[in-house]
Amino acid sequence: MLAVNEYFDGQVKSIGFEAQGQRTSVGVMEAGDYRFSTAAPERMKVVSGSLTVKLPGNVDWLTFFTGDDFEVPGDAAFDVRVTQTTVYLCDYL
């Protein structure tokens, strides 16, 4: 079954699904600054565009471009800056 999610007054939207026990979502972020919290570890891949991210425990911001991915631990929060509409894929590990 598909789960449609909307965050930050519609600036971030995703469709989540589960296949063979693996949870995944694909979504779009409009330009803006966002803070996300995780329940489980996640791997995010930039499908189109770019994300500038401040990962938990880091003081530096890192920019990820189309094709790049990064991991976020569970029970954590991370900040994202988006300067252009960006598509992402998120695997819940």
Side-chain angles (χ1 to χ4, degrees), residues 39-55:
E42 301 178 3
R43 179 182 307 113
M44 293 191 67
K45 181 172 186 168
V46 180
V47 176
S48 176
S50 64
L51 298 175
T52 300
V53 180
K54 186 174 180 186
L55 294 168

Side-chain angles (χ1 to χ4, degrees), residues 52-63:
T52 300
V53 180
K54 186 174 180 186
L55 294 168
N58 289 4
V59 294
D60 296 325
W61 290 82
L62 303 170
T63 301

Side-chain angles (χ1 to χ4, degrees), residues 16-56:
F17 60 96
E18 186 171 331
Q20 301 173 352
Q22 174 63 44
R23 289 182 42 234
T24 301
S25 64
V26 62
V28 178
M29 295 185 198
E30 295 288 347
D33 292 337
Y34 309 105
R35 183 166 184 82
F36 293 97
S37 296
T38 63
E42 301 178 3
R43 179 182 307 113
M44 293 191 67
K45 181 172 186 168
V46 180
V47 176
S48 176
S50 64
L51 298 175
T52 300
V53 180
K54 186 174 180 186
L55 294 168

Side-chain angles (χ1 to χ4, degrees), residues 1-18 23-30 34 36-37 42 86 88-92:
M1 174 164 296
L2 298 177
V4 178
N5 299 299
E6 187 172 312
Y7 310 97
F8 305 103
D9 296 323
Q11 293 296 102
V12 178
K13 294 184 181 183
S14 70
I15 299 174
F17 60 96
E18 186 171 331
R23 289 182 42 234
T24 301
S25 64
V26 62
V28 178
M29 295 185 198
E30 295 288 347
Y34 309 105
F36 293 97
S37 296
E42 301 178 3
T86 297
Y88 67 90
L89 175 71
C90 182
D91 290 315
Y92 302 92

